[in-house]
């Protein structure tokens, strides 16, 4: 438990070596806010929303939504109980840590049991094992994740008993974010010419609620909250309160995603890019730390359990051949967690 960043970060003035990012991998924590990153009002006509969502998904793989139907009171309560969870005494959180060290590569568990851990960035060999000659960098954050679909009583009973309202608030919040995720996915279907509900069955069998807690950091320029990556899910809805989330545009430039009260950030996952045959992008993003305050964000990731992932047949023809091969979700996870730097190349067909 001592390895959880929040358990010791307030007592140090310098960064422990394993959290220091190598010079060649350091990022600028102070990038301009991307005022051009789309903010889409879902109360407008569906035609307008669809056009804006498709364009934003093609250009950034990321956008924000407002007037989305999730009450601001519920959003405030959800963020509040998650912040309270990280402030609990160590003994209340210990049962959710699988290892004494607390260090874990992000891997979904079949039963989606609650898990509290820290993550590291690593360079895998082709067989998926970590190289010995590359320095691991531990991210400056603690993460708590658990399943929330199907939302059975057994699932809810596995969640923290403290804070007192955690189960009630996060249960309602999870249901609302899943409903919103499916609504956005259906708008994407309409824009692409796919059957409404195409993403709502086997591609959306699970939902993982993930809370990232980034403690105040004495030297943001030598650390990273989480490194550059695409989400392995279908879609991710993120609630953020403070700045720190960065997105990369098609020209390779990084911009900050402005925290807008009441808005939710929609991040397209790599599965969505594959199924749409590249018509929609997956959002390349990262999170930086700051020296003035703690930052907590909530993510709701929709994913399959087991299915064949491939470009939708309605999007394939002689003029638009498949850009990605077909593969099982299990095979996909093998690529995602063993060769993250080259996953898109691994998923492309052997011959186009």
């Amino acid at each position: 438990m001592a390895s959880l960043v929040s358990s010791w970060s307030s007592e140090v003035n310098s960064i422990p070596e394993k959290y220091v990012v190598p010079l060649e991998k350091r990022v600028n924590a102070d990038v301009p806010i991307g005022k051009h990153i789309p903010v889409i009002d879902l109360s407008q006509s569906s035609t307008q929303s669809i056009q804006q969502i498709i364009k934003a998904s093609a250009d950034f793989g990321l956008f924000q939504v407002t007037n989305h139907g999730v009450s601001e009171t519920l959003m405030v309560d959800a963020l509040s109980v998650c912040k309270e969870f990280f402030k609990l005494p160590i003994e209340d959180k210990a049962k959710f840590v699988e290892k004494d060290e607390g260090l874990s590569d992000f891997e979904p568990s079949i039963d989606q049991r609650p898990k509290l851990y820290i993550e590291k960035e690593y360079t895998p060999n082709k067989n998926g094992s970590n190289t010995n000659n590359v320095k691991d960098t531990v991210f400056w954050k603690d993460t708590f994740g658990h399943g929330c679909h199907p939302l059975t009583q057994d699932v809810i009973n596995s969640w923290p008993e403290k804070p007192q309202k955690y189960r009630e608030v996060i249960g309602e919040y999870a249901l609302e974010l899943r409903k919103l995720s499916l609504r956005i996915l259906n708008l994407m279907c309409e824009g692409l010419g796919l059957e409404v509900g195409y993403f709502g069955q086997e591609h959306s069998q699970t939902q993982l609620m993930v809370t990232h807690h980034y403690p105040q950091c004495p030297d943001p320029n030598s650390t990273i909250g989480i490194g550059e990556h695409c989400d392995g899910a279908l879609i991710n809805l993120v609630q953020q309160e403070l700045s720190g989330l960065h997105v990369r545009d098609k020209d390779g430039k990084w911009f900050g995603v402005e925290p807008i009260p009441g808005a939710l950030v929609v991040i397209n996952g790599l599965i969505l890019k594959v199924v749409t045959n590249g018509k929609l992008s997956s959002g390349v993003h990262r999170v930086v730390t700051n020296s003035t305050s703690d930052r907590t964000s909530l993510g709701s990731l929709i994913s399959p359990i087991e299915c064949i992932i491939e470009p939708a047949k309605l999007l394939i023809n002689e003029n638009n051949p498949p850009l990605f091969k077909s593969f099982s979700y299990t095979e996909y996870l093998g690529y995602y967690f063993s060769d993250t730097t080259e996953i898109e190349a691994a998923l492309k067909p052997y011959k186009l």
Side-chain angles (χ1 to χ4, degrees):
M1 287 297 292
S3 63
L4 292 175
V5 181
S6 58
S7 67
W8 51 262
S9 58
S10 62
E11 302 172 0
V12 301
N13 295 316
S14 59
I15 307 299
E17 183 180 357
K18 67 180 180 179
Y19 295 90
V20 175
V21 179
L23 287 173
E24 67 276 10
K25 289 188 174 184
R26 292 190 185 181
V27 303
N28 179 11
D30 187 21
V31 300
I33 291 293
K35 295 293 185 180
H36 58 313
I37 297 170
V39 180
I40 300 171
D41 182 351
L42 292 183
S43 67
Q44 65 186 332
S45 71
S46 60
T47 300
Q48 290 176 297
S49 295
I50 288 167
Q51 291 174 346
Q52 293 171 10
I53 287 171
I54 295 299
K55 187 176 188 312
S57 294
D59 291 347
F60 291 95
L62 179 150
F63 52 93
Q64 299 202 65
V65 290
T66 59
N67 293 317
H68 41 63
V70 182
S71 77
E72 288 196 35
T73 299
L74 179 58
M75 292 176 66
V76 169
D77 289 347
L79 190 61
S80 177
V81 294
C82 289
K83 286 181 177 180
E84 288 179 43
F85 172 79
F86 282 99
K87 292 178 181 178
L88 291 173
I90 288 178
E91 53 268 24
D92 289 325
K93 297 181 289 188
K95 63 181 177 181
F96 300 112
V97 179
E98 292 185 341
K99 306 173 184 177
D100 291 338
E101 184 62 19
L103 185 63
S104 174
D105 301 330
F106 179 80
E107 294 181 3
S109 58
I110 298 300
D111 59 4
Q112 299 189 64
R113 62 190 180 279
K115 184 177 179 182
L116 177 60
Y117 56 97
I118 57 177
E119 289 182 85
K120 62 182 173 67
E121 185 171 54
Y122 67 101
T123 303
N125 285 320
K126 293 299 181 181
N127 63 4
S129 62
N130 193 15
T131 56
N132 294 323
N133 59 347
V134 176
K135 177 184 180 296
D136 292 336
T137 300
V138 182
F139 297 139
W140 191 270
K141 71 179 176 76
D142 298 335
T143 296
F144 181 60
H146 58 71
C148 46
H149 180 81
L151 194 57
T152 65
Q153 193 59 50
D154 285 344
V155 167
I156 294 174
N157 289 344
S158 72
W159 298 354
E161 296 180 63
K162 299 178 183 179
Q164 185 177 0
K165 290 188 175 182
Y166 184 93
R167 294 178 177 179
E168 174 188 350
V169 170
I170 296 303
E172 182 181 356
Y173 184 74
L175 289 172
E176 289 297 312
L177 262 65
R178 180 173 179 83
K179 181 168 67 174
L180 176 59
S181 297
L182 296 177
R183 177 185 172 192
I184 292 170
L185 289 166
N186 280 338
L187 291 172
M188 291 178 176
C189 286
E190 290 189 62
L192 293 166
L194 294 173
E195 178 186 355
V196 172
Y198 185 87
F199 295 113
Q201 302 299 321
E202 59 183 10
H203 293 101
S204 303
Q205 293 167 316
T206 67
Q207 180 182 4
L208 188 68
M209 188 65 63
V210 178
T211 305
H212 296 299
H213 180 67
Y214 307 87
Q216 180 177 335
C217 178
D219 186 7
N221 288 318
S222 66
T223 60
I224 189 74
I226 187 167
E228 172 184 340
H229 70 290
C230 294
D231 288 333
L234 178 69
I235 195 171
N236 183 10
L237 266 56
V238 176
Q239 179 180 343
Q240 61 165 353
E241 182 182 40
L242 301 173
S243 61
L245 173 63
H246 294 176
V247 63
R248 191 181 73 192
D249 68 10
K250 291 194 293 187
D251 296 324
K253 296 180 180 179
W254 288 94
F255 296 93
V257 180
E258 183 178 9
I260 299 175
L264 287 164
V265 183
V266 181
I267 306 177
N268 294 347
L270 187 55
I271 293 176
L272 191 59
K273 181 174 183 176
V274 172
V275 177
T276 64
N277 204 40
K279 292 184 180 297
L280 305 185
S281 299
S282 52
V284 181
H285 58 289
R286 69 190 185 198
V287 178
V288 296
T289 59
N290 70 72
S291 60
T292 58
S293 61
D294 295 351
R295 178 182 185 274
T296 303
S297 67
L298 280 67
S300 168
L301 296 99
I302 303 294
S303 299
I305 293 177
E306 186 53 72
C307 69
I308 298 300
I309 299 172
E310 61 185 357
K313 290 180 172 55
L314 283 176
L315 303 180
I316 302 300
N317 54 48
E318 291 182 1
N319 297 321
N320 296 287
L323 300 180
F324 304 93
K325 63 184 180 181
S326 300
F327 48 89
S328 70
Y329 184 60
T330 300
E331 182 182 9
Y332 166 75
L333 289 179
Y335 288 131
Y336 188 80
F337 290 109
S338 67
D339 205 1
T340 54
T341 59
E342 300 178 8
I343 181 171
E344 288 201 42
L347 301 181
K348 290 186 182 294
Y350 297 111
K351 293 182 181 179
L352 285 178

